[in-house]
Amino acid sequence: MKVILHYQDNENSDLHKSLKITLPKKWKSGPTNRILSQFVESYNDSSSKKKKESVEAEETEVEEGETHQYFTLNESDLYLSLKDTKSPLASDAIVLTSIPDRSDLYIMHGKSQTVSEMNRAKSKSASDNTTNNDSNSNSNEKESESKKKDSDIVTCSRFGCNIKFPRGGPFPPCSYHTKPPVFHETAKFWSCCPHKKAYDWDQFQEIPGCMQGFCMFREKDDPEHPANQQNGKKFLGGCDLREIAAEKAGQKLKSIDDFNTSQLNGGSSAAPVLSRLKSVLKELDIDNELFDQVVEGIRKEEEQKLGAGAGAEDVEDAEVINAIASNLGQQLKDALKTI
């Protein structure tokens, strides 16, 4: 039976050594520490010989009174390890049953252990793992309970109230707003309280609610959720404000196309109406050319009427277009009545 021993557990590669030995038959039934003893003896003998052969190579003066000695191994601070597992071999393990033939064995720094010591260590490790598993299980159960408790705690759905309470109640009293907040440029305010504006977040948070009541909770997709009663909007911006203002004034908020058409026709609000009417009539198989001829005839009539008391140059395009729309609308109404 042959084995190859390697000592490489040292940062200084000059101190590394490999030794190939054939084990005597009687060693096969003996403990593995005999192999370790053989290597240590060989290693230290080699170091001693080098010291005798060359003092300059073995002991070099570095500074005053300071010398460097050759390195030797101490068997009590070493153990054997198999290459394939890198796990230590018990010092009293039987060679034949623990080391395969032609194995690479590594000499490692550290305290060696007997078979019984290793078994006790494994038992302790298994016990620790069981304890850890039980601990982890308890921890998971506690975490699950904590998550369940967290899921049972909800936040008030009313605007401006952030009070948390149990899902099923009791429902604490709260101060809230009836409409969503508005964030427009640097101003922040509640749309139900436009006179109370703030310009930083902390001030906005301090604006008191305009209504008093009790907390409530509704799921996000619940029609009774306050946000769903405001067209699903949790907050408003500049576009929303302009749309609300237009509705209050009885006007429809213009699209970009409507605005551009109006501007091209002197700012007349009727210009987009005539443009859409032309498109609709085209779909009803009325040629655009015929529509333009009718509009042009009405234009001349209206310009004469509007210019009767003033110079033609004083008549605004927007005024003429509005008159055309009114005239055409009346004629279409009369025509529909005769159908």
Side-chain angles (χ1 to χ4, degrees), residues 267-295:
S268 169
S269 59
V273 177
L274 293 175
S275 178
R276 288 196 297 272
L277 178 61
K278 183 177 180 179
S279 298
V280 171
L281 292 176
K282 175 65 176 176
E283 293 179 7
L284 296 175
D285 203 25
I286 298 175
D287 293 338
N288 288 342
E289 184 178 357
L290 176 58
F291 179 83
D292 291 338
Q293 289 175 358
V294 172
V295 170

Side-chain angles (χ1 to χ4, degrees), residues 32-82:
T32 59
N33 63 354
R34 284 185 179 179
I35 300 175
L36 178 61
S37 298
Q38 177 64 32
F39 180 84
V40 172
E41 183 179 349
S42 173
Y43 188 95
N44 291 341
D45 285 347
S46 176
S47 178
S48 179
K49 287 178 182 179
K50 288 181 181 180
K51 181 178 179 181
K52 292 178 181 178
E53 291 173 356
S54 177
V55 175
E56 292 183 357
E58 294 294 329
E59 183 174 344
T60 304
E61 292 187 1
V62 180
E63 290 184 5
E64 297 180 7
E66 218 177 291
T67 60
H68 171 74
Q69 299 291 339
Y70 272 98
F71 183 75
T72 57
L73 295 176
N74 186 349
E75 185 178 346
S76 62
D77 296 329
L78 301 170
Y79 66 87
L80 286 176
S81 175
L82 284 171

Side-chain angles (χ1 to χ4, degrees), residues 1-6 19-28 35 38 80 82-83 89 95-96 98-106:
M1 181 177 181
K2 295 181 180 180
V3 294
I4 303 175
L5 299 163
H6 305 278
L19 178 66
K20 183 176 182 180
I21 61 175
T22 300
L23 302 182
K25 289 184 179 180
K26 60 180 180 180
W27 282 25
K28 296 179 183 179
I35 300 175
Q38 177 64 32
L80 286 176
L82 284 171
K83 176 183 179 181
L89 292 170
V95 172
L96 191 61
S98 58
I99 301 175
D101 187 24
R102 301 182 186 279
S103 292
D104 285 284
L105 301 178
Y106 285 78

Side-chain angles (χ1 to χ4, degrees), residues 166-338:
R167 182 181 291 270
F171 303 95
C174 72
S175 174
Y176 63 95
H177 292 275
T178 58
K179 293 184 179 181
V182 177
F183 304 117
H184 179 49
E185 295 180 348
T186 59
K188 303 170 183 64
F189 58 93
W190 295 94
S191 50
C192 53
C193 304
H195 56 289
K196 298 179 180 179
K197 294 184 179 180
Y199 293 90
D200 66 56
W201 186 254
D202 291 336
Q203 289 179 347
F204 172 70
Q205 292 284 73
E206 292 174 0
I207 296 176
C210 56
M211 297 291 289
Q212 301 295 323
F214 290 90
C215 288
M216 61 171 281
F217 174 75
R218 297 289 185 273
E219 297 292 347
K220 293 181 180 179
D221 56 353
D222 191 326
E224 293 186 9
H225 192 288
N228 294 330
Q229 295 178 0
Q230 302 290 331
N231 297 323
K233 293 183 177 181
K234 293 183 178 181
F235 61 89
L236 306 178
C239 291
D240 299 300
L241 294 180
R242 287 189 287 274
E243 187 173 351
I244 292 171
E247 289 177 357
K248 287 182 178 179
Q251 299 176 351
K252 181 183 177 182
L253 189 63
K254 291 182 181 179
S255 67
I256 294 175
D257 290 336
D258 287 347
F259 176 78
N260 291 338
T261 303
S262 172
Q263 290 299 103
L264 291 172
N265 291 277
S268 169
S269 59
V273 177
L274 293 175
S275 178
R276 288 196 297 272
L277 178 61
K278 183 177 180 179
S279 298
V280 171
L281 292 176
K282 175 65 176 176
E283 293 179 7
L284 296 175
D285 203 25
I286 298 175
D287 293 338
N288 288 342
E289 184 178 357
L290 176 58
F291 179 83
D292 291 338
Q293 289 175 358
V294 172
V295 170
E296 185 61 28
I298 297 175
R299 176 189 288 274
K300 290 179 180 179
E301 292 178 8
E302 296 300 333
E303 284 180 345
Q304 289 177 358
K305 291 178 184 179
L306 295 171
E313 66 278 2
D314 294 330
V315 179
E316 297 289 343
D317 287 342
E319 192 176 359
V320 174
I321 292 173
N322 291 337
I324 293 172
S326 178
N327 189 325
L328 184 58
Q330 185 61 48
Q331 293 191 49
L332 286 174
K333 186 188 296 183
D334 294 340
L336 288 172
K337 288 179 178 178
T338 61

